[in-house]
């Protein structure tokens, strides 16, 4: 007679899943708002379309955290990756002029470690609150023999809204417009497969060892949270001061800025206008990575680029303070020319 | 002197990613509708809130395909899992009365195999069209040293809309209401960790071997696509004939039906009212799985359960035809009692 099998024998613990799910209830409640009409346990999350918009347009984006997660696994610190995810998604819809309404996450693990699940989702919920965005729901999947023990993948989806007449689509951009850069907080969530190879293999650092030139460990430097630009840029968006915005993610400045420029326009970026942060310099040195490749993979210190009319540049720089600087201009042609710098 | 590193050396091929992304453009275009305001390459997907609703409520759900993906890897067939994903998500918002507006996917791979990516996303796009839902965007992530060669994870996210006054939230359900079951097409997307253990380890079947009692291979039986109930149920929803709906996913009938019943009400399900499909019987036998465990893990042939007033039962059964049958009733109390059957 064969031994009788249960789901748990096969590696899926429904009771642990129920407990993990229930523990997320308070996180969802704390990250809800007056338009949230559902709680934990609903098949779908309910969110009332905010009133007061003549032609509301929903703006939505999906993203993951990439292999930055591997750094979280190495350090055992799981409360930052959810913030990376939310802030990344919020920036992606902000560039079209949208403010976030709600967020959902997808967390897939090999085994259901309730502590890790609630640390990860706790980070998601905290960032949702910071971005005035409801955490409307999500999926926590147990997939044994799929993810290595202690590992997980994390993806997220944001929905925001913008009045149709206030969509920022770059169509107002003209040659001669000024480009303004906003500082990044570090690697954000791109280039981690290369960065990890350099830091852990080439430089031979452990996650807890001090990163050269930083008063912080390698793990801390790599895990620095992706900035949300919502708070900094919203006042300017409300005034209509911005003609286009590009979030500098995979592909770097040259891979992202053209996505928001009209056909026939390009950009000249003055790479001497800012000091590339230490972390990127050490990565280039440690990996012997050529500069063009560095600018293609990493943000190099620039997390967001705005296009503004010349008459608005001074105002924009004043509002943004020392987070921002003039980084170049829009030119006839196409593509991005990186000039000057090291 | 150290060898110079590139992103590609580290395992990420940006050119292949660009090519894969561009190949998805026609898929997005074909799955767009008159409210889709963005194309490929936008940071966020744009979708106009449909007019004509007094108080539009957005209904949103995130889900994955779970380890059903492992069956796709074994068979090399990648065009069905995207349909599972979309249909699962569509059903999850349908139970609250919503029709889908748009969908975004998250596809994470170890290496960027352009053929597999476009097969997977092609399945997503096809199901979006079938559900009259726009494919608004998504993320395709390259995560080497994260996913085994040839493997990927797939998650998705749907946003639908319902007029607030027509939300189906179960509040109208009364003791004595009739429960109507809709046939599932197979395992749908739940219980695959247990099912794979039984089929491939206990029963010792190869994916291409015939599944006992079916004129189909084990791979074909396991990959049968999760049904969307949108087309079958929408006419009934428009007439207001349904008081509550439960999508039978992880946790089975007893884990899902209580999610839509008011406090103080439970259900009695007559397990003798339908013939449990062959695949579940073979799984129970092959794994020596006890019947209560089977009903907790699998849908057992019931993909959706509706609660309707007794006066509406005949109409509902007539409209649904031989896809549906009376499966029990709402009772005072709580929880789900499964009675009769094998």
């Amino acid at each position: 007679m064969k031994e009788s099998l249960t789901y748990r024998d096969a590696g899926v613990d429904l009771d642990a899943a129920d407990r993990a799910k229930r523990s997320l209830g308070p996180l969802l409640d704390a990250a809800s708002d007056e338009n949230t009409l559902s709680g934990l346990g609903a098949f779908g999350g309910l969110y009332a379309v905010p009133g007061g918009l003549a032609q509301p347009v929903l703006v939505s984006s999906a993203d993951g955290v990439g292999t930055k997660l591997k750094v979280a696994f190495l350090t055992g610190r799981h409360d930052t990756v959810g913030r990376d995810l939310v802030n990344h998604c919020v920036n992606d819809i902000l560039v079209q002029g949208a403010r976030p309404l709600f967020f959902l996450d997808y967390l897939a693990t090999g085994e259901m470690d309730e502590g890790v699940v609630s640390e990860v989702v706790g980070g998601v919920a905290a960032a949702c609150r910071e971005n005035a965005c409801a955490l409307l729901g999500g999926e926590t999947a147990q997939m044994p023999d799929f993810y290595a023990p202690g590992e997980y993948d994390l993806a997220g989806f944001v929905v925001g809204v913008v009045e149709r007449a206030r969509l920022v689509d770059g169509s107002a951009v003209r040659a001669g417009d000024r480009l303004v850069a906003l500082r990044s907080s570090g690697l954000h969530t791109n280039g981690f497969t290369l960065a990890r190879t350099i830091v852990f293999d080439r430089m031979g650092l452990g996650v807890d060892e001090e990163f050269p030139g930083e008063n912080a460990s390698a793990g801390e430097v790599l895990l620095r949270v992706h900035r949300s630009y919502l708070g900094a840029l919203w006042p300017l968006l409300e005034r209509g001061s911005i003609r286009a915005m590009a979030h500098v993610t995979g592909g770097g400045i040259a891979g992202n800025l053209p996505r928001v420029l009209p056909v026939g326009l390009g950009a000249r970026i003055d790479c001497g206008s800012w000091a590339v942060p230490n972390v990127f310099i050490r990565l280039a040195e440690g990996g012997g990575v050529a500069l063009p490749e560095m600018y293609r993979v990493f943000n190099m210190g620039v997390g967001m680029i705005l296009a503004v009319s010349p008459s608005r540049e001074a105002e924009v720089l004043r509002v943004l303070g020392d987070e921002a600087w003039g980084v170049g201009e829009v030119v006839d042609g196409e593509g991005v020319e990186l000039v000057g710098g090291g």
Side-chain angles (χ1 to χ4, degrees), chain A:
Chain A
M1 193 180 149
K2 286 181 284 193
E3 196 194 342
S4 161
L5 262 186
T6 66
Y7 207 18
R8 191 165 184 167
D9 296 331
V12 176
D13 185 345
L14 283 178
D15 296 323
D18 279 349
R19 284 194 305 274
K21 198 164 190 174
R22 273 196 300 273
S23 76
L24 303 182
L27 296 176
L28 263 72
D29 289 344
S32 64
D33 66 24
E34 74 282 4
N35 293 309
T36 307
L37 307 178
S38 58
L40 191 75
F43 279 96
L46 304 180
Y47 196 92
V49 175
L53 295 167
Q55 289 188 289
V57 173
L58 302 176
V59 188
S60 187
S61 183
D63 226 304
V65 187
T67 69
K68 189 171 190 173
L69 293 172
K70 285 270 188 188
V71 185
F73 306 155
L74 285 171
T75 58
R77 179 161 188 197
H78 304 285
D79 62 342
T80 61
V81 290
R83 301 166 66 115
D84 288 310
L85 181 66
V86 173
N87 291 345
H88 187 151
C89 287
V90 165
N91 290 341
D92 273 349
I93 63 166
L94 178 66
V95 299
Q96 287 164 305
R99 65 182 174 85
L101 297 176
F102 62 82
F103 190 88
L104 291 93
D105 69 302
Y106 169 77
L107 174 58
T109 64
E111 55 200 18
M112 190 64 66
D113 180 321
E114 295 156 54
V116 171
V117 168
S118 88
E119 231 183 298
V120 171
V121 182
V124 170
C128 283
R129 285 195 303 275
E130 288 164 11
N131 287 287
C133 165
L135 176 55
L136 200 60
E139 166 72 3
T140 307
Q142 272 181 96
M143 295 165 72
D145 76 7
F146 214 94
Y147 291 97
E151 300 212 343
Y152 53 83
D153 197 4
L154 177 66
F157 307 96
V158 72
V159 173
V161 71
V162 58
E163 178 70 79
R164 187 160 183 169
R166 298 183 70 89
L167 259 172
V168 179
D169 61 3
S171 58
V173 174
R174 299 288 175 266
D177 278 358
R178 306 298 305 166
L179 297 171
V180 171
L182 278 96
R183 217 174 285 287
S184 68
S185 52
L187 272 59
H188 286 182
T189 49
N190 287 100
F192 273 84
T193 297
L194 180 55
R196 289 183 300 113
T197 303
I198 296 170
V199 172
F200 302 128
D201 299 346
R202 291 293 180 97
M203 297 168 69
L205 290 176
V207 274
D208 296 324
E209 285 184 77
E210 189 165 290
F211 192 92
E214 307 266 344
N215 193 15
S217 69
E220 286 165 341
V221 168
L222 292 175
L223 282 182
R224 278 176 186 148
V225 171
H226 196 137
R227 272 189 66 180
S228 164
Y229 296 98
L230 176 65
L233 295 181
W234 195 251
L236 293 170
L237 278 169
E238 291 201 302
R239 286 191 230 170
S241 307
I242 303 175
R243 288 181 163 174
M245 283 167 278
H247 186 200
V248 181
T249 58
I253 295 171
N256 287 287
L257 188 49
R259 297 167 70 181
V260 298
L261 297 179
V263 174
L265 292 181
R268 188 165 52 234
I269 296 288
D270 176 7
C271 294
S273 68
W274 79 98
V276 171
N278 172 68
V279 59
F280 300 105
I281 294 170
R282 301 291 180 163
L283 287 172
E285 287 172 1
V289 183
L291 265 187
E293 183 76 356
M294 287 295 296
Y295 278 92
R296 190 178 180 220
V297 177
F298 298 109
N299 67 59
M300 300 300 276
V302 177
M304 185 76 93
I305 295 182
L306 321 178
V308 302
S309 77
S311 65
R312 284 267 169 96
E313 186 184 22
E315 170 212 344
V316 166
L317 288 172
R318 184 173 37 73
V319 169
L320 294 174
D322 59 8
E323 294 295 300
W325 67 94
V327 76
E329 63 176 339
V330 177
V331 296
D332 287 313
E334 59 181 38
V336 173
E337 191 190 2
L338 301 168
V339 297

